[in-house]
Amino acid sequence: YSSYLHNMELFNEQKKVPIIYIYQFDKDFCVMLLDEVYITRDNTAFTRDNYLGFLKSFSSFCLNHNYLTKNPTEGISSLGRRGKKKIRDVINEDLLKKIYGYLQETNSHFLLASYILYYCFVRPAEMTRLRLSNINIEKQTLYLEDTISKNRKDGIITLPSKVISLMVDLNIFSYPNDYYLFSDGFKPGSKKRSEKMFRDYWAHYVRKRLKLPEKYKFYSLKDTGIDRKSVV
């Protein structure tokens, strides 16, 4: 259970709603945590249900020891192995152009992150673990180690010329090879950052400044890229 507890602590820290007292462990917290695991972090229904199983076990422990008088997980159902189909909102061409123009003018490093999500389908959590050593500029490839990728398998991704060109323009390869690709300010650095920085910047700046509907998340760029590729 230590892994689940650690993730719960990270969730509390990111949400800035730290649980200090046991009564704060309620249904609202459980629902938010499960949504974070399944929707925001794009884990499988199986993973989400594993978290629910832990929450149910922990709730039973608290009830048996009179730490709680009500089960926080009551009424929360499992999704099952197949899970429910996630509703993805694809960003239309006009909005993509607006996003590109805005980021090109205001934050080219975040534009690079958007490119990698859109063209290469690399998830935000994976992007935070990327180092410059994972990029082969001569072969124009990105190497995802098994310790980085979500499916725990090695993989090599071809980087489009547009992505490589932006990296060169941003002098990405002038930084030490062991630097993370996205650190403070979305620039290369020695400090590993949380994937939350991508979502926060998207919500507080991109979506807000461009007045995009809330249904469009940063992760929507990946879904849009996949949709465009399937059409082609």
Side-chain angles (χ1 to χ4, degrees):
Y1 285 163
S2 61
S3 175
Y4 289 102
L5 290 172
H6 176 65
N7 281 321
M8 286 172 66
E9 290 173 359
L10 290 177
F11 171 74
N12 291 335
E13 179 182 346
Q14 291 177 358
K15 292 296 182 182
K16 303 188 186 306
V17 187
I19 285 185
I20 300 176
Y21 304 104
I22 191 61
Y23 73 83
Q24 293 175 294
F25 178 62
D26 56 14
K27 187 172 183 178
D28 285 342
F29 169 82
C30 292
V31 170
M32 284 194 298
L33 176 60
L34 294 174
D35 284 349
E36 171 79 10
V37 169
Y38 183 53
I39 299 175
T40 306
R41 299 184 184 180
D42 196 47
N43 284 303
T44 63
F46 182 75
T47 298
R48 182 263 187 196
D49 286 350
N50 278 343
Y51 272 84
L52 177 58
F54 165 74
L55 292 173
K56 287 180 179 292
S57 297
F58 184 64
S59 298
S60 296
F61 171 83
C62 292
L63 288 169
N64 291 336
H65 289 78
N66 295 320
Y67 297 142
L68 293 173
T69 58
K70 185 177 180 180
N71 188 342
T73 61
E74 184 177 353
I76 303 178
S77 304
S78 298
L79 296 181
R81 288 188 176 272
R82 293 185 180 181
K84 297 179 180 178
K85 186 176 180 180
K86 297 182 184 180
I87 299 175
R88 300 298 196 187
D89 289 304
V90 175
I91 304 174
N92 64 51
E93 194 68 30
D94 289 338
L95 288 182
L96 280 177
K97 290 179 180 178
K98 286 185 179 180
I99 294 168
Y100 167 76
Y102 173 74
L103 292 178
Q104 186 181 44
E105 182 179 344
T106 61
N107 194 331
S108 295
H109 287 277
F110 191 81
L111 176 61
L112 176 61
S114 300
Y115 272 3
I116 292 177
L117 184 61
Y118 177 82
Y119 288 110
C120 307
F121 316 139
V122 178
R123 301 173 179 86
E126 296 169 336
M127 284 198 285
T128 62
R129 302 186 185 100
L130 288 176
R131 296 180 187 267
L132 297 186
S133 57
N134 292 108
I135 303 170
N136 188 319
I137 189 172
E138 294 181 357
K139 296 181 179 179
Q140 294 192 13
T141 57
L142 179 65
Y143 174 55
L144 281 184
E145 301 160 316
D146 57 356
T147 56
I148 294 177
S149 65
K150 180 181 177 181
N151 59 14
R152 300 302 179 189
K153 294 181 180 180
D154 293 340
I156 296 179
I157 300 171
T158 300
L159 293 173
S161 298
K162 182 176 288 190
V163 177
I164 289 291
S165 297
L166 182 54
M167 287 180 172
V168 172
D169 291 343
L170 294 175
N171 295 315
I172 294 296
F173 303 105
S174 65
Y175 292 88
N177 213 31
D178 62 343
Y179 268 26
Y180 290 102
L181 177 59
F182 298 106
S183 184
D184 293 334
F186 306 104
K187 298 179 180 180
S190 59
K191 180 180 178 182
K192 183 180 181 302
R193 294 295 306 273
S194 166
E195 63 190 90
K196 183 175 181 289
M197 68 176 180
F198 297 111
R199 298 194 299 271
D200 284 349
Y201 191 87
W202 175 272
H204 298 155
Y205 293 94
V206 180
R207 193 169 63 209
K208 184 176 181 180
R209 297 292 171 83
L210 298 179
K211 298 181 180 180
L212 302 177
E214 191 173 347
K215 65 179 181 179
Y216 293 133
K217 317 289 185 183
F218 178 60
Y219 206 93
S220 297
L221 290 172
K222 177 176 181 287
D223 304 314
T224 303
I226 292 174
D227 184 74
R228 294 286 191 275
K229 187 174 182 180
S230 64
V231 171
V232 174

